[in-house]
Structure formats: C-alpha cells, structure tokens
Amino acid sequence: MGLIAYIKSLFILQLLVGFVFVVSGLIINFIQLCTCVLWPINRQLYRKINTRLSYSLWSQLVMLLEWWSGTECTIFADQATVDKFGKEHVIIILNHNYEIDFLCGWTMCERYGVLGASKVLAKYELLKVPLIGWTWYFLEIVFCKRKWEEDRDTVFKGLTQLKDYPEFMWFLLYCEGTRFTPKKHEISMEVAESKGLPKLKYHLLPRTKGFTTTLSCLKGTVSAVYDVTLNFRDKKVPTLLGIVSGKKYMADMNIKRYPVEEIPEDEKECATWLHKLYQQKDALQEHYENEGSFPGPTIKPPRRLWTLLNFLFWATLLLTPLLNFACGVFVSGSPLLIVGFLIFCIIASIAVRRLISVSEVNKTGSTYGKMEGKKEN
C-alpha cells in the first residue's frame, strides 16, 4: 500500500470528510428551508437557488468518486448522442446492480452541468433519511410507496409540476424497482414465466407503470430517453465504503438515446417497448460479460475542478474551527472535556456509517417479491 492510499484509509481522515458532508448538508438544508418563502412568490427563482444548493451537497459525493478514489468513467456512445448531453430534458433508464450506480450517474450529470437539477423517482422511505431525503424534498423529488393505488395522485401531481422546470434535468428511473440480487432475480423470472414474458439473465423484470406514467406526464418537456447500462471492469463490485476508503474502480457506461417520438404513446404499447428495451439491455450485458467491454466508440469526459473546489470551501469553513476546538480541548487537560469530545467523535462516526449503509445492497430493506406476482408489468 502506497503512502497516499494509506492516508486515505485512515479512519480519522474519513471521519473528517464525513463531518464536512454532514454539517454542510445541515447548513444547506436550513438555507433550503428559508427559501420556501419564495415558492408562492417566484417559483422559478426558488428552483434555481435550490438547484445550486443541492449541487453544493451532491458534488461532495462526486468529489469522493472522482478525486478521492480516482474512479474513472468511460462512456460508450456515438458523438451525436454525446453532443446532446446537458442540452435537453431527458429520462434516464439505468440498471440497478451496484451500491454506487447512482454516484456514477451523478458524476456524468456533474460533467455535463445537470447535477443540481437531476431528479429521480424515489422510494418513500428515503424521504426520512437526513440530508438525502430532506434535500430531495426541496428539489421536488417525487417519492412513491410503490403501491399504485396510494401513489397515483402524488406521482401525477409531482411529475406534472416539473413540466416547467427552468433547468435541464435528467430524470432517473430504476425500472426494475429495486437493486438486483440473485434471490430477487429468481422471483422476478417466476413472474416473467407466469406472464409469458421472455426471461432476462442480468436484469429484473421492469415495472412499466413508473416509466409509462413519467413519460406521459412529462410529455412536451422531455425530448429523449437515455438507456444507460453500467458495468465495472474486472467484475469488480464497488461499494460506497470502498470509495470512502480511496479504492479506485473503472466504470463503463453504455448510453443509447431514443427520441420520445420513437416511443409509443399508448400505455400498453409503451410497456411492450420497455420490455423489448430490457431484452436488448440483457443482450448488451451478455456481450460485456463475454468481451469485457461494450461495443462502439468511447469518450472519457474530463472531471471538473468545481467539485474539488466546493469541497475545499466547506472543509476550510468547517474544519478550521473544529480543529482549533479539538486542540483547545486536549491542551486544557480537562478529563470531562476530553471524554465529551471523544463521545462526540463516536456519535459522529456512527452517523456517517449509518448514512453510508443506506446504499448497501444487504441493507436496502426491500420487500421485493412479497406481492410481486400481483403487480402489473
């Protein structure tokens, strides 16, 4: 292990990075709360401010991926598609196999200037997660309980409200509904067999309701659907904890653009289109498994300094008084102050670890399969 790698692996340093993210996030959430007075007066100004506030928080995670771990992302796409990145409202369909797939999506959003305005159809439980859920709430993220009878009005209202969003947005959909695991795949393929649908080897059966509803509600706003398939070289299985520890990964993203005009408007035909898309994704994944790469031209968009500069700003603002306080505590020699400070460090480390656990595959708390056979696809 090299010196830099060793330094990155030090728990105290990881704790300081986590401290910056948590405290800056709380400050940003408070500022977002204050901006709510703008909503009834000037909704577009409210949105522009919150887009930039959310960028200041999310870009810290992107910084960890790009600058701290040094993870590299290669895009496989034709130049005509790449030329449209960041210049249109789009729906993103992404396979859900890894703990950090959202982070790889965010790094592409950052490099093409749409990170702050990125959207997602998120599960309702995430609304209760500090920082993440709170920031998403102010960003007008649509939360759903994955029970259509309960979600219908909320989803329609939330999506329709985004039709006049002033910034170009990339709206992420995990059409599989949950992260891929062998057990979930087994259940999903049983459902596919019962419905007479082709079986998939590397994906779960897509839930079409979310896609067809999103496309219908954002008609006239989004101009294309980007089908994104993400993989990591050498069959690595990256984790957020690995990123925080400074581990480097090599990500490959295949992106294909579908103009909305090519997608059927009829709900059933649109659902059939999505199933066919996932069959194509499965064939593409098979190609990657066999060849170790996607077909087609590649591009490596350069990382930008903004994420690093943003983190350094928050680190300077927050760590300077913290370190001065810590030095004062230990210089004082007071057992009470020292014990109190150590307890604070322990609580902070637990809080950071809990945030990281939100992305872990074995702690997602999914109930996938319990009612899957009764859902429409």
Side-chain angles (χ1 to χ4, degrees):
M1 179 185 292
L3 178 60
I4 295 179
Y6 172 73
I7 292 175
K8 290 179 179 179
S9 69
L10 293 176
F11 174 73
I12 185 63
L13 203 55
Q14 297 171 10
L15 182 59
L16 291 176
V17 171
F19 172 82
V20 172
F21 178 75
V22 171
V23 177
S24 66
L26 292 174
I27 293 173
I28 289 170
N29 285 161
F30 175 74
I31 298 174
Q32 288 181 303
L33 180 63
C34 294
T35 66
C36 288
V37 297
L38 293 173
W39 180 261
I41 303 171
N42 192 329
R43 182 178 300 186
Q44 301 297 48
L45 177 60
Y46 165 89
R47 286 168 163 171
K48 290 179 179 180
I49 292 174
N50 277 278
T51 292
R52 283 144 187 83
L53 288 172
S54 66
Y55 175 88
S56 188
L57 183 61
W58 300 150
S59 65
Q60 294 181 49
L61 296 178
V62 174
M63 185 281 300
L64 287 176
L65 185 78
E66 296 181 342
W67 296 92
W68 185 259
S69 81
T71 294
E72 297 182 11
C73 294
T74 301
I75 293 177
F76 291 74
D78 59 80
Q79 192 59 48
T81 295
V82 174
D83 289 342
K84 291 184 177 295
F85 288 172
K87 301 175 183 177
E88 59 182 349
H89 296 291
V90 299
I91 294 173
I92 306 287
I93 296 177
L94 178 64
N95 57 312
H96 203 8
N97 297 67
Y98 306 100
E99 288 184 12
I100 67 165
D101 45 29
F102 76 96
L103 198 48
C104 291
W106 273 359
T107 192
M108 289 299 106
C109 288
E110 199 289 320
R111 295 182 193 194
Y112 290 100
V114 294
L115 176 59
S118 60
K119 308 295 181 186
V120 65
L121 191 61
K123 58 183 180 181
Y124 183 78
E125 291 81 0
L126 291 176
L127 177 60
K128 304 173 185 177
V129 178
L131 304 185
I132 298 173
W134 300 347
T135 303
W136 274 352
Y137 174 81
F138 293 114
L139 276 177
E140 303 171 73
I141 294 300
V142 181
F143 294 93
C144 59
K145 299 177 181 178
R146 294 184 285 193
K147 296 178 181 178
W148 184 241
E149 294 75 15
E150 298 181 25
D151 291 332
R152 185 193 306 272
D153 293 340
T154 301
V155 170
F156 271 107
K157 180 181 178 181
L159 290 173
T160 303
Q161 190 169 272
L162 294 174
K163 287 178 70 69
D164 64 342
Y165 208 79
E167 311 271 342
F168 287 124
M169 62 178 175
W170 285 9
F171 196 107
L172 173 62
L173 289 178
Y174 289 118
C175 292
E176 295 164 87
T178 186
R179 189 175 282 119
F180 183 100
T181 67
K183 180 60 178 177
K184 293 173 186 176
H185 180 255
E186 180 183 348
I187 296 170
S188 183
M189 292 308 98
E190 290 175 358
V191 175
E193 185 174 7
S194 69
K195 293 178 177 290
L197 294 168
K199 291 187 177 182
L200 304 173
K201 185 176 181 181
Y202 301 100
H203 300 83
L204 305 180
L205 197 66
R207 295 175 173 179
T208 61
K209 182 63 74 174
F211 174 72
T212 58
T213 301
T214 302
L215 191 60
S216 175
C217 289
L218 294 180
K219 182 180 179 181
T221 299
V222 298
S223 54
V225 172
Y226 292 173
D227 173 36
V228 183
T229 304
L230 171 68
N231 272 305
F232 289 87
R233 295 178 198 173
D234 304 319
K235 298 186 177 182
K236 294 288 183 66
V237 182
T239 63
L240 188 54
L241 193 58
I243 294 296
V244 172
S245 300
K247 293 182 180 179
K248 181 176 181 177
Y249 302 100
M250 304 296 288
D252 290 330
M253 303 178 72
N254 182 275
I255 304 178
K256 187 171 182 180
R257 181 180 183 274
Y258 295 91
V260 292
E261 295 81 9
E262 297 179 2
I263 304 173
E265 293 187 15
D266 178 77
E267 183 176 356
K268 290 185 178 180
E269 292 180 4
C270 186
T272 300
W273 181 90
L274 184 65
H275 281 297
K276 290 181 178 178
L277 179 70
Y278 266 80
Q279 292 165 32
Q280 295 171 12
K281 286 173 74 72
D282 222 49
L284 187 63
Q285 182 74 0
E286 180 74 22
H287 182 280
Y288 193 93
E289 289 289 323
N290 295 333
E291 304 296 331
S293 178
F294 290 119
T298 64
I299 181 174
K300 287 188 177 181
R303 59 187 180 182
R304 305 195 304 172
L305 272 174
W306 295 116
T307 57
L308 182 60
L309 293 175
N310 175 75
F311 177 79
L312 291 176
F313 163 77
W314 283 112
T316 303
L317 182 68
L318 299 175
L319 293 183
T320 300
L322 176 67
L323 295 178
N324 287 337
F325 176 75
C327 289
V329 167
F330 286 100
V331 169
S332 71
S334 169
L336 184 61
L337 285 177
I338 294 175
V339 170
F341 183 75
L342 292 176
I343 291 175
F344 166 78
C345 291
I346 292 173
I347 294 175
S349 65
I350 294 174
V352 171
R353 189 65 185 82
R354 287 291 297 273
L355 279 175
I356 292 175
S357 71
V358 171
S359 72
E360 293 180 349
V361 173
N362 60 346
K363 295 183 180 180
T364 55
S366 172
T367 58
Y368 187 89
K370 292 182 179 180
M371 296 292 291
E372 189 65 17
K374 298 181 181 180
K375 294 183 180 291
E376 292 184 5
N377 280 285

